[in-house]
Amino acid sequence: MTITLKHFPAGERGFFRAPVLLSGARQAILVDGGFTLDDGRTLTAAIQATGKQLTTIYVSQSDPDYYFSLRPVREAFPDARVIARLSAARRKNWKS
């Protein structure tokens, strides 16, 4: 199976975060979000354009610039499981 990697670099307003989408044939995993709502909308549209099922969102850090933009992603992919490092999970009350 081939796994593809695509990153979505944000600009200065997004603290230069670069969420990464790992995709297989039919499913995808998102590593981190970005900071701004606009970044989240752009990220959501890009994931939807792949036609793949987003199964998991992994938040690697507890800093807000790694997850603030995830609201549109969560709304578009409500069944995606959110997992986080323990330090991130303690800081944010994830509902997944």
Side-chain angles (χ1 to χ4, degrees), residues 30-63:
L30 179 64
V31 178
D32 294 325
F35 184 66
T36 70
L37 190 55
D38 285 341
D39 288 340
R41 290 179 181 133
T42 300
L43 184 57
T44 299
I47 297 169
Q48 289 173 322
T50 69
K52 302 194 180 180
Q53 175 191 10
L54 183 66
T55 62
T56 306
I57 301 166
Y58 172 64
V59 179
S60 67
Q61 303 293 322
S62 63
D63 299 323

Side-chain angles (χ1 to χ4, degrees), residues 12 26-27 33 43 46-47 64 68 70 74 82 87 91 95:
E12 185 176 351
R26 294 180 298 277
Q27 297 177 329
L43 184 57
I47 297 169
F68 265 14
L70 289 177
R74 294 284 291 141
V82 176
S87 61
R91 189 159 180 195
K95 295 187 175 159

